[in-house]
Amino acid sequence: MDRSVLSSRLATIGIAVGIVVLALGVSEILGRTMAQLLDSLPVNLPTIPRLVLSVVLQQGLVFGGLSVIYLWIRNRDLGWIGVSLPDFKQFLWIAGGWAVAFASAFVFGIIIILLGLNPGKNQLVRVVSETPEALLVMIPVTILLIGPGEELLFRGIIQGSLRERFGPIVAIVLASVIFAAAHVTSLTGGLESRIITVALLIVPALVFAIAYERTGNLVVPALIHGLYNATLFSLQYAAIKLGGAPAILLL
């Protein structure tokens, strides 16, 4: 491979990773700042509003804002990403994608139990163990904010830019790995436990990426992602109310 081509491709990957690192870093700073401001208030803000505000800041303000800045810098519009009302065939992709993503989580969950592994858990587990009702609030939040916000950044921006340089197949794989790896900061446990969870998250991430590539409509993976999370939230809530608390994998 020509050295200039290799350098260009490495630069593209570096930019993609840099965007994600920047997004996570800004989210962390804003999150800490928000927590300090809320703690300084004379009235204590309940857990659920804090959680929703955190999602609005990260998936809405940070992920959405960086995506808009990227589009502006590259002189692109939403047509480059692909945003439209799904047609019947795309709704089939949504249903099928949700089924495959959820089935993968279920199957790998069983494998983890059989192998006696200890995957890292999303930090939200601690919150919902104290306030299970937060899960009910997160169901619409994940469909309206988390799914669209994360898919805009990771599929629309990251996968879209990688596709231009590498083509669809490599873009799907790289974007999925970057997406899964980005969840390291939101997991609890040691490095080994976090790596296990990141490896598991690559499978549903591939589902989102393939659905986006085949339909060309960001709304499709956004809904698959949101419905997948909403299903896990619902099952987690039911499990807590029935007296259990299984680990949850959240994207």
Side-chain angles (χ1 to χ4, degrees):
M1 181 183 297
D2 185 82
R3 180 174 297 181
S4 62
V5 174
L6 177 60
S7 298
S8 178
R9 291 187 172 185
L10 290 176
T12 300
I13 296 175
I15 291 172
V17 173
I19 291 173
V20 174
V21 171
L22 177 62
L24 297 177
V26 173
S27 296
E28 179 67 18
I29 294 172
L30 285 180
R32 290 181 181 274
T33 303
M34 179 197 73
Q36 292 175 353
L37 289 175
L38 293 178
D39 290 339
S40 67
L41 295 176
V43 178
N44 185 37
L45 190 67
T47 298
I48 293 178
R50 281 175 174 262
L51 183 59
V52 173
L53 182 56
S54 176
V55 172
V56 171
L57 284 176
Q58 183 177 53
Q59 277 80 5
L61 180 62
V62 178
F63 287 11
L66 286 178
S67 298
V68 170
I69 292 173
Y70 179 88
L71 293 174
W72 176 73
I73 291 175
R74 296 204 57 197
N75 194 28
R76 307 288 189 179
D77 55 23
L78 289 179
W80 180 73
I81 294 176
V83 178
S84 63
L85 183 68
D87 56 24
F88 178 73
K89 184 177 180 179
Q90 291 174 350
F91 272 115
L92 292 179
W93 268 98
I94 294 170
W98 166 82
V100 173
F102 177 68
S104 71
F106 180 77
V107 170
F108 284 117
I110 294 177
I111 293 175
I112 286 175
I113 293 174
L114 293 177
L115 294 178
L117 299 176
N118 183 31
K121 298 179 178 64
N122 192 287
Q123 294 179 14
L124 184 60
V125 172
R126 176 183 56 80
V127 176
V128 301
S129 64
E130 301 170 355
T131 312
E133 291 72 22
L135 287 165
L136 298 179
V137 176
M138 290 301 292
I139 291 174
V141 169
T142 192
I143 295 174
L144 297 174
L145 280 175
I146 297 178
E150 293 192 359
E151 292 306 302
L152 174 61
L153 181 65
F154 288 96
R155 243 59 63 181
I157 301 301
I158 302 301
Q159 185 172 326
S161 62
L162 291 172
R163 183 197 307 115
E164 288 184 331
R165 182 64 61 185
F166 296 96
I169 296 178
V170 175
I172 287 172
V173 174
L174 288 177
S176 299
V177 171
I178 292 173
F179 174 78
H183 286 76
V184 168
T185 59
S186 66
L187 299 173
T188 60
L191 180 60
E192 181 180 349
S193 297
R194 296 187 185 206
I195 291 176
I196 291 173
T197 299
V198 167
L200 296 177
L201 293 179
I202 290 177
V203 179
L206 286 170
V207 174
F208 306 152
I210 292 171
Y212 177 49
E213 199 62 44
R214 292 299 300 272
T215 63
N217 185 0
L218 189 71
V219 177
V220 173
L223 285 176
I224 297 174
H225 189 156
L227 292 172
Y228 167 76
N229 275 358
T231 303
L232 296 181
F233 285 138
S234 301
L235 292 176
Q236 181 73 6
Y237 180 77
I240 292 175
K241 287 303 180 180
L242 292 175
I248 50 179
L249 301 177
L250 304 175
L251 298 185

